[in-house]
Amino acid sequence: MATEIGFIGVGNMGGPMVNNLLAAGYAVVVCDAQQSAVEACVNAGATVAASPKELASMVETVLVCLPTPDIVREVALGSKGLVHGSKIKTYIDLSTTGPRTSIPVAEAMSEAGIVSLDAPVSGGVAGAIAGTLAVMVSGPHNDHGHHRPMLEKIGKNVFYVGDKIGMGQLMKLLNNLLSGTALAVTSEAVALGIKAGIDPALMIDVFNASSGRNTATEAKFPNAILTRSFDIGFNTGLMFKDVRLCLEEAEALGVPMFVGSGTRQAWAYALGKGEPADDSTVIMQHYEKLAAVEWPND
Ligand code: NAD
């Protein structure tokens, strides 16, 4: 019999993860606020629960991949939350919510006899589809070991960051501070190059053969900005959330973040001028307007 697991939040990231778990032979029960997201999973072979509580009364292991800290708290601990389920033993949070959410949620879960693991992921929608995500796990060592084979179906790079809840989440925030900084500063550099008359595609080729190479030059610019498709699949609201959460950790721990503060300002600007649902690569368009440059052949 297939191992039964639950999965809540089957959007851009969670949907492909569920497909990979189904393909690996897991029986997956899903729950999501959006009917279209649920239907895509049902078509791939999943079954459905009406609420987190109902789902947590059907399976022992529940994974969540949800957008914001508030939604994670509600799904985990709200009146119809996972904590009230009768069968759940392990709660695994794949979302990026930061230690300030994962620690209190894990404490409340623990009072109900439920073990929690942090397992935020990186690698984007492409990595979720290919099953190549990096997974940053923290929590009790034995529970990590028990669930590792399942997590390896989601991402081939499963890192055990430490035994304390929050460590995996902090690791993910550090990663996204770097990736958010790379995208913002590469957009600044490319806007300047265009204004001086250099072709943007040539600039990206030069960076990728030189020391300015980063995740924006290697993936985001070639796949979503040079193409003007702006569809990398990670939105501006999520990027601002991750950078903000990272800066909050830095402030709480007394670590200066001079460059990180600039990154937060850049993403606050992109959010203020656009929408949370804008693809994060749209930040380049904000720099084009600020610098008064026309994208060649646009
Ligand atoms: P998404 O908005 O595409 O998906 C989130 C899903 O959660 C949606 O289907 C939504 O309907 C569902 N949802 C929202 N509220 C709910 C509720 N109360 N109950 C049940 N379902 C609910 O977001 P995403 O891009 O898949 O990101 C999810 C998480 O993964 C975020 O924490 C994000 O920071 C993180 N993440 C995203 C990426 C990326 O490239 N998109 C990469 C790494 C990590």
Side-chain angles (χ1 to χ4, degrees):
M1 207 179 109
T3 308
E4 267 204 323
I5 55 173
F7 203 114
I8 305 185
V10 289
N12 286 339
M13 295 295 285
M17 291 185 206
V18 165
N19 286 341
N20 286 333
L21 290 163
L22 287 166
Y26 288 85
V28 188
V29 188
V30 300
C31 175
D32 194 288
Q34 261 183 43
Q35 192 54 29
S36 56
V38 169
E39 275 164 19
C41 293
V42 169
N43 291 339
T47 52
V48 185
S51 69
K53 179 181 172 183
E54 184 182 298
L55 185 141
S57 299
M58 296 165 75
V59 296
E60 292 186 355
T61 303
V62 180
L63 299 95
V64 305
C65 188
L66 294 160
T68 65
D70 285 348
I71 291 174
V72 167
R73 279 177 201 265
E74 179 63 25
V75 164
L77 308 176
S79 59
K80 290 187 179 169
L82 293 170
V83 73
H84 305 295
S86 55
K87 202 166 175 187
I88 180 172
K89 288 188 178 152
T90 311
Y91 158 80
I92 303 177
D93 188 4
L94 305 159
S95 338
T96 308
T97 44
R100 253 141 256 277
T101 296
S102 77
I103 293 170
V105 169
E107 282 168 359
M109 288 288 187
S110 168
E111 282 169 23
I114 301 162
V115 171
S116 298
L117 289 174
D118 281 344
V121 299
S122 180
V125 174
I129 293 169
T132 55
L133 294 169
V135 189
M136 302 162 217
V137 187
S138 70
H141 187 265
N142 287 347
D143 296 278
H144 142 261
H146 180 70
H147 293 288
R148 193 177 173 101
M150 176 185 65
L151 295 172
E152 284 172 347
K153 305 297 180 222
I154 289 170
K156 62 178 184 181
N157 294 304
V158 177
F159 294 96
Y160 184 58
V161 182
D163 61 353
K164 289 195 190 69
I165 283 288
M167 292 171 112
Q169 282 291 343
L170 182 65
M171 187 68 234
K172 168 65 183 170
L173 297 184
L174 298 176
N175 179 75
N176 278 30
L177 178 70
L178 298 191
S179 101
T181 302
L183 181 52
V185 79
T186 305
S187 300
E188 288 182 6
V190 171
L192 171 56
I194 294 173
K195 199 149 193 183
I198 307 175
D199 178 66
L202 175 74
M203 272 187 265
I204 297 303
D205 286 345
V206 173
F207 292 141
N208 284 333
S210 311
S211 52
R213 187 173 58 248
N214 62 60
T215 53
T217 64
E218 285 183 327
K220 287 160 192 153
F221 269 76
N223 296 329
I225 297 178
L226 296 182
T227 58
R228 308 305 271 167
S229 55
F230 302 103
D231 59 352
I232 209 70
F234 184 60
N235 76 39
T236 299
L238 294 178
M239 181 69 94
F240 177 70
K241 170 204 61 161
D242 294 352
V243 172
R244 174 180 63 79
L245 289 172
C246 188
L247 270 284
E248 283 173 11
E249 289 305 316
E251 279 155 20
L253 294 177
V255 176
M257 287 224 160
F258 305 118
V259 178
S261 303
T263 300
R264 175 164 57 183
Q265 273 187 308
W267 287 105
Y269 183 87
L271 193 57
K273 288 286 172 186
E275 300 292 330
D278 286 348
D279 195 82
S280 52
T281 54
V282 168
I283 194 169
M284 181 66 216
Q285 293 179 317
H286 296 301
Y287 279 110
E288 287 163 38
K289 287 196 192 105
L290 279 169
V293 294
E294 295 266 323
W295 189 269
N297 309 317
D298 223 12

